[in-house]
Amino acid sequence: GAGVSQTPSNKVTEKGKYVELRCDPISGHTALYWYRQSLGQGPEFLIYFQGTGAADDSGLPNDRFFAVRPEGSVSTLKIQRTERGDSAVYLCASSLVGGGAPDTQYFGPGTRLTVL
Amino acid sequence: GNSVTQMEGPVTLSEEAFLTINCTYTATGYPSLFWYVQYPGEGLQLLLKATKADDKGSNKGFEATYRKETTSFHLEKGSVQVSDSAVYFCALRYTGGGNKLTFGTGTQLKVEL
C-alpha cells in the first residue's frame, strides 16, 4: 500500500516568507509525527499528533512553527517569518496507534526546505 | 537528558567485510532501542529494534543486542554488500516520552567492491 507522502519534495524560499509543508500519512494511522533533520544530524522531534490534537509539541523550536491536523489525517507544518537557520529536511512519520504504545513509525521521504 | 551517541562516519568497507557500528545511549528508565537506515534518495526505514535488556533485534543479516550494563546497542553484520551502503541511525524511545524517537547523528556506510 501507499506509504507516507510529503509535498513539496523541495521548497526554496526567502528569509521572512511563510511556508507550508504537507504530510499524507498511511491510511488508518492515528498518530503522526514531524521531525527536522539538519545537515549531518539525526532527525529531531518537533510535534506529535494523536488524531486531530497535538499530544506533544515540546520539540517546536519557537512560536514561528505551528502544525495542524484538522481531520486526523493530512497534516500541515507551517513556518512563519522563515530564517536561514530553518533550512533543513522536514520529515513526517505515522504510526498505527501512538498514544504512548510502542508501535513502528513509518517515515516519508521528507521536504527539503532552503531559506535564502 | 536522553541521548544517543553513534560512531562517526563515513565507514568504508570492502564487500564481504564484517561491520560494526557503535551506538551508546543515555536514558531514564528502560528505553526501547532502534536502528533505522536511510538509503540514498529514500526515506528512513526501520531496520531492527529491541524493547528490553538482552533482546536481540535482527533483520536482513543485521543484528543488534540491547546491553543494559554497557548502555549499548551496536549494529553488526557478518558480510556486507554494496547494497548496504546507506546512512544508519540509532534511536531510542524512552519511558514516559510517548512514542517520539531520539536519534543519533547517523553513520554513513560505504561498501566497495
Side-chain angles (χ1 to χ4, degrees):
Chain A
V4 178
S5 62
Q6 294 186 244
T7 54
S9 55
N10 281 283
K11 176 69 177 178
V12 180
T13 191
E14 294 180 342
K15 180 176 179 293
K17 298 291 188 183
Y18 168 83
V19 297
E20 290 189 351
L21 312 179
R22 176 188 169 105
C23 172
D24 279 90
I26 293 171
S27 179
H29 279 195
T30 63
L32 184 147
Y33 312 81
W34 284 98
Y35 294 83
R36 177 169 71 174
Q37 186 174 14
S38 300
L39 191 62
Q41 301 297 314
E44 293 180 310
F45 170 78
L46 294 176
I47 186 169
Y48 149 58
F49 287 89
Q50 182 62 40
T52 60
D56 183 352
D57 64 359
S58 61
L60 294 177
N62 51 60
D63 61 6
R64 295 186 298 106
F65 288 75
F66 189 70
V68 295
R69 195 186 184 200
E71 298 179 357
S73 178
V74 170
S75 176
T76 305
L77 178 65
K78 308 179 181 195
I79 310 174
Q80 298 177 321
R81 306 183 304 279
T82 51
E83 300 178 355
R84 293 193 180 88
D86 299 335
S87 296
V89 176
Y90 289 81
L91 298 172
C92 178
S94 70
S95 67
L96 186 59
V97 176
D103 61 339
T104 298
Q105 294 182 31
Y106 297 87
F107 282 80
T111 294
R112 181 176 298 278
L113 175 66
T114 303
V115 182
L116 301 177
Chain B
N2 302 289
S3 64
V4 175
T5 303
Q6 289 181 236
M7 64 187 288
E8 290 190 14
V11 174
T12 303
L13 296 174
S14 298
E15 202 169 42
E16 299 183 2
F18 184 86
L19 168 71
T20 300
I21 299 178
N22 290 338
C23 170
T24 58
Y25 68 90
T26 301
T28 53
Y30 300 92
S32 296
L33 301 172
F34 305 82
W35 278 101
Y36 276 81
V37 58
Q38 189 169 35
Y39 297 104
E42 298 184 17
L44 281 167
Q45 301 174 24
L46 178 64
L47 181 59
L48 54 83
K49 65 180 180 182
T51 57
K52 60 183 188 296
D54 299 325
D55 268 2
K56 177 185 285 188
S58 61
N59 186 25
K60 300 181 180 180
F62 290 88
E63 294 183 340
T65 301
Y66 186 161
R67 301 287 190 199
K68 187 165 176 59
E69 64 275 13
T70 54
T71 61
S72 65
F73 193 54
H74 305 320
L75 183 67
E76 297 182 335
K77 187 175 185 183
S79 177
V80 294
Q81 306 299 311
V82 172
S83 57
D84 294 325
S85 298
V87 182
Y88 293 81
F89 292 91
C90 187
L92 68 79
R93 182 178 57 223
Y94 60 92
T95 307
N99 206 18
K100 64 186 177 189
L101 298 170
T102 300
F103 286 87
T105 56
T107 303
Q108 185 176 12
L109 171 65
K110 298 179 181 178
V111 180
E112 301 173 334
L113 291 171

